[in-house]
C-alpha cells in the first residue's frame, strides 16, 4: 500500500482536503528545503511556518494541523519540551514528526516515547520520503487515536450500568477505595449513603421485569437530579444505589441530602399508566468518623441500611457504635445458635391450656428455651428472629416438632391430651413441611389429633397462596391448626373463611384493660363471639387474673391460657402440677 493510498483509505474519500502542516525550524535554509521538498510531491498542501518554540506553540494552539514537522534544536526551548506541550494540548488529531540534523538513536527513542510519530534526519529528506513520512505518521496517529477511543469506550462499558447509565459497582468500588485514603490524607470528610428501594421485589414480581426496569430508570433520574456535582452516584445492582458524598459543609449537608432523597423518592412512579408506590431505605456511614477504611465503611453503611429496613423502611439510619454492638451481638448469637444446633442447647417448656368450663388441662403449648452457656436461660425473643433471618429456624423448628411429639408420645406430658407446636413463617414456606410432619407423627406413633400447630396471623397474609396449600396438607394429615396472636395481624374474615383452620388464639393484648375497661371488654366479647360464630374453637392467651378468666369464660371462650393458671415449665415440673 502506498502512502497516498493509505491516506485515501483512512480519510474515506476525504483526502482531497489539503494537508495542513506546521513547519517549525529556526533555520530559514532548512525551512525552505523542507517546504520545497514537500511541494514537489504535488499534493494539496497548506504549510504554516514558525521560527521559535514560542511561535510554534502559539500557532499550534490557534490552528488545526494534520501534522507538525518539528526541529529538535530551537533557540528558545528543547524540542522534547515543545513536543510534550503540543501533546498535552493536542485534541488527538495532530501527528508530530521530529526533524534533526543528528543521527542519534537514543534521542530518536526518547522522542518517540514522548509521543512523536517519527524521527527524521534532515540530510536524508527527499520529497518522496518526506511525504511518505507525513502520511504514514498521520495514519499511525489515527490508528492510535482509534485504539485510545475504543479503549475509552471499553472502560466506559466496564464502568457503566447499561440500564440506568449510572456508574456501576466496579466504578463505585474503585472510587471508594481511592476516595477514602484521599479524604484521610487531605483531612476532608465524606459520607457513604447506601440506598435500597423498599418492596421493589413486589413490583418486579407483580408487574414484570420490564416495568421494574423502567421504574429503576426513573429512580436513577431522580437520584441524578438530587446528587450534587462532584458527588458520585452509582447503581450497585438490583434496586441498590450508592452515593459517595463529599461533605464540605459538615454533617448537616448529609442530613439534608438524605431527607431530599427520602422526599423525592416517596412520590410514586408512573410507568405504562401504572402508579407504583416507591420509597427507599438509606444507610449512612461517615469517613473518618465510622471508619477510615473503604471496605469497613461499606459494611457500616450496609448495617445502617439493614437497620433502616428493620425499623420499618422509608427512612435513613446512621451507623453508630450502638448499632455495631447490636450487630456484634447478632453475629455472636448466630454463631452460638449454630453450635447449639450441633451440640444441643435447646429445651421445651410447656404451658398448660385449660378448659374454660371445667378447669381441666386440655392441651399444652410447647415453647422453646435456649440454655446459653454464658447468658443463661433465654426466651424465644432473644434468638428466634435471628434464627429466622439466618435460616437456622429450619433445623430448630424440626427439633421442636420432633421433641414435642416424642415428649407426649412417651407420656412425659402426663394426661395432657394434645401438644401445640408453634411454626414460624420460614418453616411454613420451606418445602416438605407436610412430609416432615407426617414422618414425625409416624415415628412417634401419635394420633394426629394429639398435635396442633400454631401459626401467627401475619404469616398467612403475606403469602396466602402458599399458606393455603400447606395448611390443607397439614389438615389432611388430621393435625389441627390454630391461628396464633389473632387480632394483631390484618387478616380479613374472608381469608379466615377460606383457610382450613380449627382454632383462633385471641392475642393477650386484648386483655390489657380487662376487666376494668368497658370498651376493651366489648371488643373482647365481639372477637370471641365472631370467632365462635365462624365455627372456630377459641383460646384466649395471656390470662393473668381470676377476673380475666371469668370474663373470658362468660364471653364464651373455650380454652384459657396464661400465668393465672400456669407459667411455661419443663415437663418435669408439669407432671406434679397436673397432679395438683
Ligand atoms: P406465643 O406462641 O403467642 O406464645 C405465648 C407467649 O406468651 C409465650 O412467650 C408465653 O410465655 C407468654 N405468655 C403465656 N401466658 C402469659 C401471660 O399470662 N402473660 C404474659 N404476659 N405472657 C404470657 P414465649 O415463650 O416467650 O414465646 C414468645 C413467642 O415465641 C411465642 O408466642 C411464639 O410466637 C414464639 N415461639 C415460642 N416457641 C417457639 C417455637 O418453638 N417455634 C416457633 N416458631 N416459635 C416459638
Ligand atoms: Mg403460640
Ligand atoms: Mg400468641
Amino acid at each position: 500500500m502506498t502512502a497516498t493510498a493509505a491516506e485515501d483509505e483512512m480519510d474515506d474519500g476525504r483526502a482531497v482536503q489539503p494537508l495542513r502542516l506546521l513547519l517549525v525550524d529556526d533555520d530559514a535554509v532548512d525551512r525552505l528545503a523542507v517546504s520545497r521538498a514537500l511541494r514537489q510531491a504535488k499534493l494539496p498542501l497548506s504549510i504554516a511556518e514558525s521560527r521559535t518554540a514560542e511561535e510554534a506553540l502559539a500557532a499550534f494552539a490557534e490552528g488545526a494541523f494534520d501534522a507538525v514537522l518539528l526541529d529538535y534544536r530551537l533557540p528558545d526551548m528543547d524540542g522534547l519540551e515543545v513536543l510534550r506541550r503540543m501533546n498535552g494540548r493536542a485534541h488527538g488529531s495532530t501527528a508530530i514528526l521530529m526533524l534533526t540534523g543528528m543521527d542519534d538513536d537514543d534521542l530518536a527513542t526518547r522522542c518517540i516515547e514522548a509521543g512523536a510519530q517519527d524521527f527524521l534526519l534532515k540530510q536524508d529528506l527527499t520529497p518522496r520520503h518526506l511525504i511518505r513520512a507525513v502520511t504514514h505518521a498521520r495514519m499511525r496517529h489515527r490508528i492510535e487515536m482509534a485504539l485510545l477511543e475504543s479503549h475509552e469506550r471499553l472502560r466506559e462499558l466496564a464502568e457503566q450500568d447499561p440500564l440506568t447509565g449510572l456508574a456501576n459497582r466496579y466504578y463505585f468500588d474503585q472510587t471508594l477505595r481511592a476516595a477514602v485514603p484521599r479524604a484521610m490524607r487531605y483531612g476532608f470528610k465524606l459520607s457513604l449513603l447506601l440506598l435500597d428501594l423498599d418492596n421493589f421485589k413486589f413490583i418486579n414480581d407483580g408487574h414484570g421485569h420490564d416495568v421494574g426496569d423502567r421504574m429503576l430508570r426513573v429512580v436513577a433520574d431522580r437520584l441524578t437530579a438530587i446528587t450534587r456535582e462532584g458527588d458520585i452516584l452509582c447503581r450497585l445492582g438490583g434496586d441498590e444505589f450508592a452515593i459517595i458524598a463529599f461533605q464540605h459543609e459538615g454533617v448537616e449537608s448529609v442530613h439534608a441530602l438524605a431527607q431530599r432523597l427520602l422526599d423525592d423518592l416517596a412520590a410514586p412512579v408512573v410507568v405504562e399508566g401504572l402508579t407504583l408506590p416507591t420509597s427507599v431505605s438509606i444507610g449512612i456511614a461517615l469517613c473518618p468518623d465510622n471508619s477510615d477504611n473503604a471496605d469497613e465503611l461499606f459494611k457500616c453503611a450496609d448495617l445502617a441500611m439493614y437497620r433502616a429496613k428493620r425499623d420499618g423502611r422509608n427512612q435513613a439510619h446512621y451507623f453508630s457504635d450502638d448499632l455495631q454492638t447490636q450487630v456484634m451481638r447478632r453475629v455472636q448469637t448466630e454463631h452460638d445458635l449454630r453450635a447449639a444446633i450441633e451440640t444441643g442447647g435447646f429445651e421445651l417448656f410447656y404451658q398448660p391450656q385449660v378448659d374454660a368450663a371445667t378447669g381441666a388441662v386440655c392441651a399444652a403449648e410447647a415453647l422453646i428455651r435456649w440454655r446459653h452457656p454464658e447468658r443463661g436461660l433465654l426466651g424465644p425473643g432473644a434468638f428466634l428472629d435471628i434464627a429466622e433471618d439466618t435460616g437456622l429456624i429450619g433445623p430448630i423448628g424440626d427439633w421442636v416438632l420432633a421433641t414435642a411429639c416424642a415428649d407426649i408420645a412417651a407420656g412425659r406430658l402426663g394426661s395432657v391430651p394434645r401438644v401445640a407446636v408453634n411454626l414460624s413463617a420460614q418453616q411454613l414456606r420451606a418445602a416438605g413441611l407436610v412430609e416432615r410432619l407426617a414422618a414425625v407423627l409416624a415415628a412417634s406413633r401419635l394420633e394426629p389429633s394429639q398435635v396442633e400447630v400454631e401459626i401467627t396471623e401475619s404469616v398467612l397474609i403475606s403469602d396466602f397462596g402458599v399458606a393455603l396449600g400447606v395448611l390443607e396438607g397439614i389438615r389432611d394429615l388430621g393435625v389441627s391448626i390454630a391461628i396464633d396472636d389473632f387480632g394483631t395481624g390484618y387478616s380479613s374474615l374472608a381469608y379466615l373463611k377460606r383457610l382450613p383452620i380449627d382454632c383462633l388464639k385471641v392475642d393477650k393484648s386484648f386483655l390489657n384493660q380487662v376487666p376494668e375497661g368497658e370498651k376493651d371488654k366489648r371488643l373482647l366479647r365481639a372477637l370471641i363471639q365472631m370467632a365462635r360464630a365462624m365455627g372456630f374453637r377459641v383460646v384466649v392467651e395471656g390470662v393473668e387474673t381470676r377476673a380475666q378468666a371469668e370474663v373470658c369464660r362468660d364471653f364464651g371462650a373455650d380454652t384459657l391460657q396464661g400465668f393465672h393458671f400456669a407459667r411455661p415449665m419443663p415437663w418435669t415440673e408439669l407432671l406434679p402440677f397436673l397432679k395438683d
Side-chain angles (χ1 to χ4, degrees):
M1 196 194 290
T2 67
T4 4
E7 174 78 345
D8 284 344
E9 202 162 280
M10 290 297 295
D11 260 352
D12 202 10
R14 281 175 286 124
V16 282
Q17 296 264 332
L19 202 55
R20 294 151 304 177
L21 300 180
L22 175 63
L23 175 57
V24 187
D25 202 321
D26 58 326
D27 188 321
V29 178
D30 282 355
R31 278 205 309 277
L32 197 64
V34 171
S35 59
R36 193 176 288 152
L38 284 166
R39 287 188 204 290
Q40 276 179 17
K42 301 219 165 37
L43 271 179
L45 285 178
S46 73
I47 304 176
E49 295 186 12
S50 301
R51 284 162 303 159
T52 63
E54 200 184 333
E55 264 182 47
L57 287 170
F60 187 81
E62 293 259 300
F65 295 102
D66 295 307
V68 179
L69 290 153
L70 178 62
D71 183 19
Y72 178 73
R73 245 183 231 290
L74 292 171
D76 52 341
M77 206 182 282
D78 185 313
L80 269 177
E81 183 56 30
V82 182
L83 175 62
R84 276 195 205 102
R85 292 199 190 182
M86 284 184 170
N87 271 336
R89 299 170 88 155
H91 307 293
S93 59
T94 313
I96 299 174
L97 295 92
M98 298 302 286
L99 291 175
T100 160
M102 301 168 288
D103 190 359
D104 179 344
D105 284 346
D106 202 39
L107 179 64
T109 311
R110 275 190 289 142
C111 287
I112 301 293
E113 277 171 2
Q117 260 70 44
D118 210 343
F119 184 88
L120 307 173
L121 277 175
K122 287 183 182 175
Q123 49 270 38
D124 288 355
L125 289 180
T126 62
R128 232 177 95 80
H129 185 183
L130 197 55
I131 283 293
R132 176 176 288 187
V134 169
T135 45
H136 270 175
R138 285 222 350 107
M139 182 167 78
R140 216 169 20 241
H141 187 62
R142 285 186 187 192
I143 292 172
E144 273 172 23
M145 287 301 124
L147 269 177
L148 195 71
E149 215 169 86
S150 62
H151 182 80
E152 282 288 308
R153 179 85 193 109
L154 271 179
R155 223 182 65 165
E156 230 168 61
L157 283 177
E159 293 181 344
Q160 213 182 48
D161 164 42
L163 179 69
T164 60
L166 298 182
N168 65 12
R169 169 118 217 176
Y170 171 77
Y171 181 83
F172 168 80
D173 285 342
Q174 303 289 319
T175 310
L176 189 65
R177 292 231 167 85
V180 167
R182 223 181 312 127
M184 297 307 295
R185 193 166 340 120
Y186 297 115
F188 60 84
K189 294 186 167 222
L190 66 83
S191 37
L192 173 61
L193 292 87
L194 292 187
L195 292 81
D196 193 298
L197 295 187
D198 298 329
N199 302 318
F200 180 69
K201 191 177 152 358
F202 293 135
I203 305 245
N204 244 351
D205 293 352
H207 301 288
H209 288 255
D210 234 30
V211 170
D213 282 357
R214 290 175 60 176
M215 171 148 173
L216 287 174
R217 267 186 240 133
V218 173
V219 168
D221 288 346
R222 288 191 193 173
L223 293 176
T224 308
I226 300 168
T227 24
R228 293 167 311 183
E229 201 168 326
D231 290 351
I232 312 280
L233 168 64
C234 314
R235 176 172 172 236
L236 300 182
D239 58 345
E240 273 184 63
F241 297 85
I243 297 172
I244 303 172
F246 298 91
Q247 256 180 61
H248 305 295
E249 308 96 45
V251 79
E252 292 74 29
S253 66
V254 188
H255 286 311
L257 176 60
Q259 196 51 53
R260 268 207 73 186
L261 291 166
L262 290 170
D263 289 347
D264 285 22
L265 289 185
V269 170
V270 180
V271 171
E272 289 177 5
L274 294 164
T275 304
L276 307 169
T278 57
S279 68
V280 67
S281 299
I282 306 174
I284 306 172
L286 310 174
C287 167
D289 314 53
N290 300 140
S291 173
D292 56 5
N293 166 288
D295 289 342
E296 264 179 39
L297 192 69
F298 187 86
K299 277 189 205 140
C300 292
D302 199 37
L303 288 173
M305 205 264 291
Y306 177 76
R307 188 52 197 266
K309 289 264 180 217
R310 270 192 86 90
D311 284 358
R313 306 191 163 94
N314 189 23
Q315 56 189 290
H317 211 289
Y318 284 83
F319 180 81
S320 65
D321 289 342
D322 201 35
L323 186 55
Q324 173 85 7
T325 315
Q326 285 174 33
V327 168
M328 297 298 285
R329 184 144 197 160
R330 277 185 83 84
V331 170
Q332 186 63 43
T333 303
E334 181 187 340
H335 175 266
D336 295 349
L337 271 178
R338 287 183 196 279
I341 290 169
E342 287 297 312
T343 58
F346 302 112
E347 294 172 17
L348 284 186
F349 278 27
Y350 292 96
Q351 186 177 33
Q353 293 179 359
V354 176
D355 185 300
T358 66
V361 174
C362 54
E365 178 176 6
L367 295 160
I368 192 168
R369 299 292 180 264
W370 179 15
R371 205 165 285 281
H372 191 281
E374 285 118 39
R375 293 159 66 192
L377 191 68
L378 301 179
F383 61 91
L384 268 193
D385 60 334
I386 300 174
E388 284 262 333
D389 287 350
T390 52
L392 294 175
I393 191 70
I396 294 174
D398 287 346
W399 177 85
V400 170
L401 195 59
T403 308
C405 289
D407 280 351
I408 193 171
R412 286 190 278 267
L413 306 189
S415 56
V416 173
R418 183 169 58 219
V419 66
V421 178
N422 292 282
L423 293 183
S424 78
Q426 290 274 337
Q427 281 177 284
L428 203 68
R429 279 189 210 112
L433 173 67
V434 177
E435 291 75 9
R436 283 202 302 284
L437 184 55
V440 170
L441 288 177
S444 51
R445 292 172 208 259
L446 282 182
E447 289 300 318
S449 60
Q450 289 177 278
V451 180
E452 181 162 82
V453 294
E454 296 188 4
I455 295 154
T456 54
E457 197 183 4
S458 50
V459 176
L460 302 175
I461 321 154
S462 63
D463 238 336
F464 184 80
V466 178
L468 182 61
V470 177
L471 294 192
E472 277 167 351
I474 294 175
R475 199 19 148 25
D476 290 345
L477 293 177
V479 170
S480 60
I481 300 168
I483 300 301
D484 208 348
D485 306 338
F486 179 68
T488 58
Y490 302 94
S491 52
S492 71
L493 299 180
Y495 273 150
L496 289 182
K497 216 176 59 189
R498 288 175 56 198
L499 290 168
I501 299 166
D502 304 279
C503 170
L504 291 187
K505 294 189 77 176
V506 175
D507 190 69
K508 51 181 166 286
S509 57
F510 289 94
L511 285 180
N512 281 347
Q513 306 294 323
V514 172
E516 60 286 359
E518 272 311 314
K519 262 194 182 159
D520 289 68
K521 266 199 321 209
R522 280 203 295 271
L523 182 59
L524 180 67
R525 178 165 53 196
L527 215 56
I528 293 172
Q529 288 177 349
M530 188 266 311
R532 287 189 55 119
M534 289 178 78
F536 300 127
R537 182 155 45 84
V538 180
V539 180
V540 180
E541 351 176 49
V543 178
E544 292 184 349
T545 64
R546 171 192 291 260
Q548 286 177 337
E550 280 167 2
V551 167
C552 293
R553 191 192 53 214
D554 293 347
F555 288 168
D558 299 283
T559 307
L560 307 177
Q561 178 181 351
F563 295 168
H564 171 60
F565 301 99
R567 292 190 172 249
M569 57 187 110
W571 66 265
T572 45
E573 290 173 29
L574 184 67
L575 287 178
F577 169 82
L578 291 171
K579 285 214 183 88
D580 289 349

